[in-house]
Amino acid sequence: MFWSSALVLGLTHLCLSTPLTSKRLDTDDLLEKHSWAEVPRGWEWVNKPDPESIIQLRIGLKQDRVDELISSLYEVSTPNHNRYGKHLSKEEVDVLVAPHPDSVEAVESWLLHHGVDPTDATFRSSSGSWISVLVSVSKAEQMLGTEYGLYHHPQSSSYVVRTLSYSLPRELHQAISVVSPTTYFGTLRSMRATSFVEADISDQVADISATVPSSCASRITIACLQALYNTSGYIPSATDSNSLGVVGYLGEYANRNDLQTFLTRYRTDAVGTAFETITVNNGEDDQSEPGVEANLDIQYTVGLSYPTPNIYYSTGGSPPFNPDSETITDTNEPYLDWLNYILANDTIPQTFTTSYGDDEQTVPYDYAVSVCNLFAELGARGSTVFFSSGDSGVGGGDCLMNDGTNTTLFQPAFPASVTAVGGTTGNSPEVGVSFSGGGFSRYFGIPSYQADVVAGYVSSLGSEYSGLYNTSGRAYPDLAAQGTSFSVIVGGQTYSVGGTSASSPTMAGIFTLLNDYRLANNQSSLGFINPLIYANSGGFNDITSGSNPGCDTNGFTAVTGWDPVTGLGTPDFVKLQAIVRA
């Protein structure tokens, strides 16, 4: 998701805010901001919403110095740079992402013209780059030159109010990056959690005396991961300054009793350890409804990082929309709510893991860039962010484009290109698991840190899959970890769970230990790790077999070096200790 400095300069006209050339705002001179050629696949139009229903309109203003933010991100994240590890404070980041004063004036004038008092905003980010206001559907339609519809997503039973296109006064295109809810149809319910329950397993305790317990051939526990990734002898000590955040959606709740059962069976020295739950945007913490995804995440992050503090962010939205209601309640925007919440905090965890995502093509480009810039803020402040790479290989379903052409192409994931974690299976040796998401973005170009390894892989493919993927796109995954047969306690019972949802929290747990190691040695946290890991691939176990089929193809193949199935490979904690301490 993050791009090279050269690409940033090339995209300046798309990403930066510039002073408006005129104080007069012609609200009648509308220019389209984004549109879909057809209703996004999986959704169907139901009817027109009540024009007096209220929605929360989120306005993302263009960030005046975001090029400096990206430059700073790379400088503080690149080994051997004189700024390496010198992460920015919240206040320093806010200065770089604040909109130009002329942009603020133009947006507020636009709101006032439509009878919306900007002082009544329900939310303003500390930098001023995001503002939320409550307006009626009819008012939003007037402001955006559009028509809203009520749409249904039968697979997830979601109802949302969205548009197929929206426009802004021509001059506001210089001031506004994105407005939502508009054309992004993702919701908490329609986002995919990248985990699935496998066949039932017996309830055994691993033999931790073996180098790699024999039971790990059929199921994964904490002991298996400690042995595979060489963390067994490490005891964290910087627990007052280090923490790990798990971001949860979909009404998934991490259960405290299940965690104790899990620790009793698989990490006895950690029994009694608790995690903190923070609710975001009306999230809940219903201990009577343990979630498979949430329990998988928290059981393995706690189990691997103990005694480091863990925080589970239960990220909600509005209650499910009732199509017979006169009040629109489900206009929630995934990613935006949690990102704006966490960035408003002065102190944030050094490591995060998230196991939810969309197909990149379902996310409007301007929305994707805005979310990307928010993740850049996290990285600049010293946080490492892991995302599951997805469970559909190079693409699930028919892989048809949604631009009206019905062209079949590989479908990259979003936002798996922050630091994306693919999946492996087995241990003698580990191989890339067939569902491991991987590929090449069509939105973001190859960053400089991975240019050489990606070019080498693309060259090795020759004409294979020519035209099905973007040869110059940001490639993922970056790393990989086990992704099958994880023993998870849910409602007191043991389940076998698979997916890159298991891989991402595993990686987060290991890098939390690496952050602990640095902090204990009076160094900074690692932050955005991609430049570091691509310059030090020797810290990982190279995975050289496996493939990720999809789109009626065999998909990509794991090879020596980086590949779009397992990235640079799986972690070796001891080798990485030497790298991050240098």
Side-chain angles (χ1 to χ4, degrees), residues 133-150:
V133 294
L134 296 177
V135 298
S136 67
V137 166
S138 60
K139 178 69 70 177
E141 291 178 332
Q142 181 186 22
M143 296 169 68
L144 302 173
T146 189
E147 290 187 5
Y148 278 89
L150 174 65

Side-chain angles (χ1 to χ4, degrees), residues 11-55:
L11 293 179
T12 295
H13 67 288
L14 293 176
C15 300
L16 304 186
S17 174
T18 56
L20 297 176
T21 57
S22 170
K23 296 294 184 182
R24 184 186 67 84
L25 184 64
D26 186 351
T27 58
D28 295 323
D29 184 17
L30 295 179
L31 180 67
E32 185 178 274
K33 181 69 171 163
H34 181 260
S35 66
W36 293 120
E38 58 190 18
V39 176
R41 194 164 291 110
W43 293 88
E44 56 190 31
W45 186 86
V46 178
N47 56 36
K48 281 282 294 178
D50 183 337
E52 298 308 312
S53 296
I54 302 299
I55 60 175

Side-chain angles (χ1 to χ4, degrees), residues 187-193 248-253 293 315-316 356:
T187 71
L188 295 182
R189 285 185 169 191
S190 61
M191 289 166 65
R192 293 191 306 275
Y249 297 103
L250 293 170
E252 283 267 345
Y253 311 119
E293 178 71 54
T315 309
Y356 301 82

Side-chain angles (χ1 to χ4, degrees), residues 157-506:
S157 302
S158 293
Y159 287 89
V160 298
V161 174
R162 296 292 189 269
T163 69
L164 293 184
S165 68
Y166 75 102
S167 301
L168 291 168
R170 186 178 300 272
E171 289 188 59
L172 280 184
H173 281 249
Q174 302 176 64
I176 293 177
S177 295
V178 66
V179 179
S180 65
T182 51
T183 54
Y184 175 41
F185 277 68
T187 71
L188 295 182
R189 285 185 169 191
S190 61
M191 289 166 65
R192 293 191 306 275
T194 53
S195 67
F196 47 87
V197 176
E198 301 171 320
D200 290 340
I201 60 174
S202 59
D203 187 19
Q204 306 175 47
V205 176
D207 174 15
I208 61 174
S209 63
T211 302
V212 176
S214 59
S215 59
C216 299
S218 58
R219 62 190 182 83
I220 295 296
T221 63
I222 293 296
C224 299
L225 299 175
Q226 289 176 322
L228 282 166
Y229 303 139
N230 214 0
T231 70
S232 299
Y234 186 78
I235 301 174
S237 60
T239 54
D240 290 338
S241 55
N242 192 30
S243 61
L244 194 168
V246 175
V247 187
Y249 297 103
L250 293 170
E252 283 267 345
Y253 311 119
N255 186 271
R256 294 173 180 80
N257 289 335
D258 283 342
L259 174 63
Q260 295 310 311
T261 302
F262 177 86
L263 295 174
T264 298
R265 295 178 184 177
Y266 306 121
R267 181 87 198 243
T268 55
D269 60 326
V271 170
T273 298
F275 61 91
E276 180 183 4
T277 295
I278 293 178
T279 59
V280 180
N281 195 34
N282 298 316
E284 298 178 357
D285 185 21
D286 188 345
Q287 290 297 294
S288 69
E289 295 187 14
V292 173
E293 178 71 54
N295 275 6
L296 164 65
D297 288 344
I298 206 70
Q299 287 170 18
Y300 279 86
T301 57
V302 170
L304 285 169
S305 68
Y306 169 79
T308 305
N310 278 232
I311 303 169
Y312 184 80
Y313 295 91
S314 178
T315 309
S318 303
F321 174 69
N322 178 351
D324 295 325
S325 170
E326 294 183 359
T327 301
I328 294 171
T329 58
D330 191 357
T331 56
N332 182 66
E333 295 284 352
Y335 313 121
L336 288 183
D337 294 310
W338 180 78
L339 280 164
N340 278 316
Y341 167 81
I342 200 68
L343 288 167
N345 287 269
D346 292 324
T347 302
I348 58 179
Q350 289 79 5
T351 310
F352 292 100
T353 178
T354 307
S355 300
Y356 301 82
D358 298 288
D359 288 339
E360 185 181 74
Q361 71 162 348
T362 68
V363 184
Y365 177 75
D366 55 2
Y367 189 100
V369 170
S370 296
V371 170
C372 171
N373 289 343
L374 291 171
F375 280 120
E377 293 184 45
L378 275 180
R381 289 180 58 181
S383 292
T384 306
V385 182
F386 293 104
F387 264 83
S388 303
S389 71
D391 292 346
S392 300
V394 296
D398 55 22
C399 295
L400 294 178
M401 293 296 291
N402 63 358
D403 58 2
T405 65
N406 283 330
T407 304
T408 298
L409 295 176
F410 289 170
Q411 295 299 326
F414 178 86
S417 51
V418 182
T419 300
V421 187
T424 62
T425 190
N427 60 63
S428 297
E430 285 186 90
V431 301
V433 70
S434 62
F435 54 73
S436 183
F440 303 80
S441 172
R442 283 193 288 273
Y443 282 177
F444 303 102
I446 299 176
S448 57
Y449 58 74
Q450 69 168 192
D452 290 342
V453 296
V454 172
Y457 186 86
V458 169
S459 177
S460 72
L461 286 176
S463 61
E464 187 176 16
Y465 303 139
S466 178
L468 290 178
Y469 70 97
N470 178 18
T471 58
S472 60
R474 183 348 186 163
Y476 74 100
D478 301 293
L479 302 171
Q482 287 283 312
T484 61
S485 305
F486 275 56
S487 296
V488 179
I489 306 298
V490 183
Q493 301 298 312
T494 305
Y495 290 83
S496 180
V497 180
T500 54
S501 276
S503 311
S504 184
T506 296

Side-chain angles (χ1 to χ4, degrees), residues 69 72-73 76-77 86-89 93 375-383 528:
L69 171 71
S72 292
L73 171 68
V76 302
S77 306
K86 297 177 181 178
H87 301 118
L88 279 62
S89 67
V93 168
F375 280 120
E377 293 184 45
L378 275 180
R381 289 180 58 181
S383 292
F528 179 48

